[in-house]
Amino acid sequence: MIQTADTAPSYDAAQLIARPMFWEALKGEASDLLKVHAVAPEVVHYLADIRHWILIHMAIALHFERKIDPAAPPLTPKKLLTELAGTGIASRNTVQSFLRELLRIKLTEPPKTGTLRQHATEVSAKSEKLMFVYIDIHLRALDMVDGGGRSALFNRNPTLLHKLQPAFARKICLNPAWYNPPAMVNCFTNSVSGSSILHEMVLSTQSNEPDGDGRFWLGTVSTAGLAARYHVSGAHISRILIKAQQVGGIGWENERRRGACWLSTTLRDAYLLWQAEKLAALSSAFNRCVSATA
């Protein structure tokens, strides 16, 4: 039995944004996510594309649901595609390619038994560990918002992950506000390593308040430095930055992306709302799972 004394409220996105500590909580979350990227770059840079993020979360959700109930369907390309029907996230070919890549980077493995249906795969222990870390990072962010004890309870009851992650995944992965974010956010998230680059830019803001022109200054942004940190080409980084500049999300004090870089208030606010959708979904899933097992 899980004691509920350490739980804290559920939120919707608007309620989270209104909390005084939300911006600081997001900066802490971004910092922690970037540390994971530094430790496991091959894995994270691939999953920092929003489509891959959704696919991995739903794949692991199916894995944990089967772990709880062996009669549940196994993870197959058809099952994963069916779960995301109506979202437009991926085609059958995309799902099949995605699962092959997960096998290559050891996030999945061939079934250990011959009883599973053809084309089934199993999520690896490596995936489970990374997902535990990922969920815990976001529980700590929620705790920073309101002083709750979610992370401590989660770490005392690690098998809570088996119910919490599927509840979270099913809530957030089917939410259009998450998988189809505003254009300024989508410039980053619709590409390899894109979400990590956006997290870094937000973390680099030099003030919590914009200047008189509605800009958050970041200092110098090095294309070569970003490319090296996130294991992508300089051309890839340039394409992301140019798209973000074209829609007014970022800019520079001089022409040709020279001098200090700035982040627009519009992009900052879109990022806040996008992240709030994720944390709101997790807050709701957490309380529901803890209450169900109390």
Side-chain angles (χ1 to χ4, degrees):
M1 178 180 293
I2 296 177
Q3 300 298 317
T4 60
D6 296 325
T7 60
S10 297
Y11 298 97
D12 62 28
Q15 290 170 332
L16 275 174
I17 290 173
R19 298 285 301 196
M21 287 297 293
F22 185 61
W23 179 234
E24 290 302 320
L26 283 191
K27 283 193 164 188
E29 173 197 308
S31 177
D32 288 341
L33 289 172
L34 292 176
K35 289 174 185 174
V36 175
H37 198 143
V39 172
E42 183 179 30
V43 171
V44 179
H45 104 113
Y46 181 68
L47 300 178
D49 176 315
I50 187 66
R51 294 163 299 181
H52 297 159
W53 187 99
I54 289 170
L55 286 166
I56 189 64
H57 272 267
M58 190 57 73
I60 292 178
L62 292 171
H63 164 74
F64 282 139
E65 286 170 351
R66 185 172 172 81
K67 199 164 190 172
I68 293 171
D69 178 11
L75 172 60
T76 64
K78 182 178 180 180
K79 179 61 176 173
L80 186 53
L81 190 61
T82 299
E83 293 294 334
L84 296 171
T87 65
I89 293 298
S91 66
R92 183 172 181 82
N93 287 341
T94 300
V95 169
Q96 290 174 332
S97 174
F98 174 75
L99 290 175
R100 285 195 297 270
E101 182 65 11
L102 292 190
L103 189 62
R104 187 189 70 80
I105 59 180
K106 297 182 172 28
L107 292 184
T108 60
E109 56 195 16
K112 297 181 180 65
T113 171
T115 61
L116 292 180
R117 70 185 64 173
Q118 189 177 14
H119 305 307
T121 188
E122 292 184 356
V123 169
S124 67
K126 178 180 178 181
S127 281
E128 291 189 5
K129 291 176 183 177
L130 284 171
M131 187 56 69
F132 186 94
V133 171
Y134 181 89
I135 294 293
D136 190 47
I137 284 172
H138 291 81
L139 291 177
R140 292 203 304 270
L142 283 167
D143 290 344
M144 187 179 294
V145 166
D146 60 17
R150 301 173 188 83
S151 175
L153 190 152
F154 182 57
N155 278 274
R156 290 198 302 271
N157 301 275
T159 58
L160 182 60
L161 177 68
H162 301 165
K163 292 184 177 180
L164 174 56
Q165 191 277 333
F168 166 65
R170 291 190 174 281
K171 192 171 183 64
I172 193 64
C173 291
L174 303 179
N175 180 359
W178 175 255
Y179 68 73
N180 189 25
M184 284 187 181
V185 172
N186 197 43
C187 289
F188 294 90
T189 61
N190 195 29
S191 61
V192 170
S193 287
S195 294
S196 292
I197 294 165
L198 180 55
H199 291 323
E200 178 173 331
M201 296 187 83
V202 168
L203 190 60
S204 299
T205 54
Q206 297 171 344
S207 171
N208 289 348
E209 298 295 332
D211 67 10
D213 295 319
R215 298 170 174 178
F216 292 86
W217 289 92
L218 313 180
T220 302
V221 172
S222 166
T223 298
L226 288 171
R229 281 193 295 282
Y230 298 113
H231 302 268
V232 294
S233 69
H236 179 76
I237 297 294
S238 291
R239 284 193 294 271
I240 292 174
L241 298 182
I242 289 170
K243 286 179 182 178
Q245 184 178 21
Q246 288 173 339
V247 297
I250 62 175
W252 282 261
E253 61 181 340
N254 300 317
E255 294 182 356
R256 298 186 178 183
R257 304 203 302 277
R258 303 290 185 182
C261 180
W262 51 262
L263 191 82
S264 72
T265 299
T266 305
L267 175 53
R268 197 288 296 261
D269 290 348
Y271 176 83
L272 258 64
L273 180 57
W274 184 59
Q275 290 292 298
E277 292 286 352
K278 176 178 60 174
L279 288 171
L282 183 59
S283 74
S284 175
F286 182 83
N287 274 17
R288 187 164 69 251
C289 289
V290 169
S291 297
T293 53

